[in-house]
Amino acid sequence: MKKNFIILLLLLGIQGFCQNETDSLDDQIYVETFGKCFSQVKPLLEVKNRDKLNKIPFCSLYQCVRYIQYVEYEEKIQNAILKRAVEIAGLLYKNETPIYLISGMNSSDKALIKNANLNDDNKLMYISVAECISSSTLDRIQEAVNNETTRLIKSKK
């Protein structure tokens, strides 16, 4: 009985120790901001005849960032997704949740640190889209979204 009690106590201690509050903030930002689906955007006509993409509504920034890599060599579709990402960045800004995409080594840690205080630097929320290896399409969408967010912040001042 004593062994069972000690094992139970150890398991409860491990479970309590493994819960990290900062992860919940990061998850909350991903779900509520980066993954927020805007119902007012219409489906992209450019992906209508694409087997894997025609079911994606492209209503969140997450969907745009994730699926733009599937059309790396199709300029027309890629430009439509980029345009949608910029549109969503504008909608996020209007909802007072401006977003800034970052990439590179330890970018998720940098985003976590910068998001610790969301009341600084115009309430920007930082999202890591590529930790180590980034593609040219990810760089393009990151640049487009960040340029739009920066433009909107500057126009407000």
Side-chain angles (χ1 to χ4, degrees):
M1 179 70 177
K2 191 174 184 180
K3 288 181 183 178
N4 289 340
F5 181 71
I6 290 173
I7 290 172
L8 178 65
L9 202 62
L10 285 172
L11 290 174
L12 288 173
I14 290 170
Q15 182 182 6
F17 180 74
C18 292
Q19 293 178 356
N20 189 347
E21 290 181 24
T22 57
D23 285 346
S24 64
L25 172 66
D26 197 37
D27 292 342
Q28 181 180 2
I29 289 170
Y30 262 83
V31 172
E32 293 179 6
T33 306
F34 191 52
K36 182 176 183 173
C37 189
F38 290 92
S39 58
Q40 66 260 41
V41 296
K42 296 183 183 345
L44 291 177
L45 297 175
E46 291 82 358
V47 298
K48 188 176 182 180
N49 297 325
R50 295 292 307 247
D51 289 336
K52 294 181 181 180
L53 296 177
N54 65 355
K55 294 179 181 156
I56 310 298
F58 290 99
C59 61
S60 73
L61 197 52
Y62 169 76
Q63 290 172 345
C64 294
V65 169
R66 176 173 173 150
Y67 293 107
I68 196 166
Q69 296 184 61
Y70 287 98
V71 293
E72 188 169 7
Y73 300 108
E74 298 179 45
E75 196 72 25
K76 183 179 177 184
I77 299 173
Q78 192 178 60
N79 287 336
I81 295 172
L82 283 170
K83 186 177 178 183
R84 175 59 53 85
V86 168
E87 178 184 359
I88 292 172
L91 292 170
L92 286 168
Y93 179 81
K94 286 179 184 175
N95 286 344
E96 298 181 5
T97 54
I99 197 164
Y100 200 84
L101 304 178
I102 59 174
S103 62
M105 188 66 76
N106 296 326
S107 60
S108 59
D109 291 336
K110 290 175 188 172
L112 193 61
I113 291 167
K114 288 181 177 252
N115 289 334
N117 182 6
L118 293 176
N119 292 323
D120 65 347
D121 62 16
N122 298 307
K123 299 182 181 180
L124 273 175
M125 292 187 188
Y126 295 86
I127 300 289
S128 171
V129 293
E131 186 70 33
C132 292
I133 300 172
S134 183
S135 66
S136 61
T137 53
L138 274 179
D139 291 342
R140 279 186 71 193
I141 199 165
Q142 177 181 340
E143 182 180 358
V145 167
N146 293 348
N147 286 344
E148 178 65 8
T149 300
T150 303
R151 185 189 69 76
L152 290 169
I153 289 172
K154 285 182 179 178
S155 70
K156 183 180 179 182
K157 290 182 179 181

